[in-house]
Structures are given as structure tokens and as C-alpha cells.
Amino acid sequence: MSPLSIPTSDLTAYDLYLRALSHLYSWDREGTVAAFELLERAIKRDPHYGSALVAAAECYQNFHVNGWTNHAELKRGQGVDLARQALRVASDDPGVLGRAAYVLGYFGEDIDTSIEVIDRALTLNPNFARGWVII
């Protein structure tokens, strides 16, 4: 995938994803909730949008790691499911692969698979800095 390509044909989904990122990386509860709400809307518009799926998985990771939920095991499962969906629909996008591998690794899901996913991301893009950090 070209760095300039838009990974969805739905420009509204893309806009929702971009708006969600500023909230997701605020690292606070309210920001994570706002990001998740925007990502839910993006995924509803395009259920095969890998970047939105993996960002939603990262929201679940934030909820879990910060103790922002009373249902940790449920959120863990939902985060893992979203990361796996992202891998199915965006298996050629190093960014999605790296982010999904990190979520799966955090939740303790099949570490060998997480390593394989990172290796694939680095094969696709040997200059993928985040992939080298994750490995």
C-alpha cells in the first residue's frame, strides 16, 4: 500500500478515523471513549477498514491497561477480536499489522503469531520503525 493511499473508499469513514486518532492518542479516558465512538461509526460505514478496526482494538487495550472498565475480560476479548479482524482485512498494511501484533501481544494472545505478524510487517516495509520497536 502506498503511504499516500487511503485504506477505504468511504471518505466519511476515513474522516471519522482521522478524527478518532487525535482522541485516541490523548491517553486519557475521555479521549479514548471519544475515539472509540468515532471508530465505531467508521467501522459501521466500512466493516473492512483495517486501520479503524485496529484503532478500536487499541481503545480496548487502553480501557484494559488503565483499569477503565469493570468488565476487563470482556474488553480483552473484544480487543482481540478487533485486532484479528484487522489482520484479516489488511494483511498487506505494515501499520495495521504492527498495531494488531502489539494489541495481541499485550493481551497475551499467541505470542508466536504476534511475532510472525511483526516479521511480515517488517518484510513488507523494512523501514517500519514502529515494527522494529515492537519486536
Side-chain angles (χ1 to χ4, degrees):
M1 181 170 72
S2 162
L4 299 177
S5 66
I6 297 173
T8 180
S9 59
D10 187 319
L11 292 179
T12 300
Y14 184 61
D15 177 64
L16 291 164
Y17 168 75
L18 292 177
R19 290 173 38 208
L21 289 183
S22 67
H23 295 290
L24 176 61
Y25 298 121
S26 68
W27 305 113
D28 62 32
R29 187 177 195 284
E30 295 76 21
T32 302
V33 169
F36 186 74
E37 290 170 354
L38 290 165
L39 292 164
E40 280 186 314
R41 291 171 50 200
I43 293 165
K44 186 174 183 177
R45 292 187 64 88
D46 183 354
H48 302 287
Y49 186 5
S51 296
L53 289 162
V54 79
E58 290 173 314
C59 288
Y60 281 118
Q61 181 182 1
N62 285 350
F63 292 137
H64 192 273
V65 74
N66 290 297
W68 296 334
T69 180
N70 294 326
H71 309 285
E73 196 55 32
L74 175 65
K75 297 294 184 196
R76 178 194 166 286
Q78 292 169 322
V80 166
D81 288 346
L82 284 166
R84 287 182 178 156
Q85 286 177 40
L87 290 174
R88 282 193 295 274
V89 301
S91 62
D92 62 342
D93 182 332
V96 170
L97 294 173
R99 292 163 70 191
Y102 189 80
V103 169
L104 293 173
Y106 168 79
F107 284 124
E109 286 296 305
D110 192 359
I111 299 303
D112 291 334
T113 298
S114 293
I115 292 169
E116 289 174 20
V117 170
I118 287 294
D119 286 344
R120 173 147 171 74
L122 292 170
T123 298
L124 291 168
N125 181 0
N127 297 316
F128 179 45
R130 187 168 183 190
W132 288 108
V133 169
I134 294 169
I135 202 165

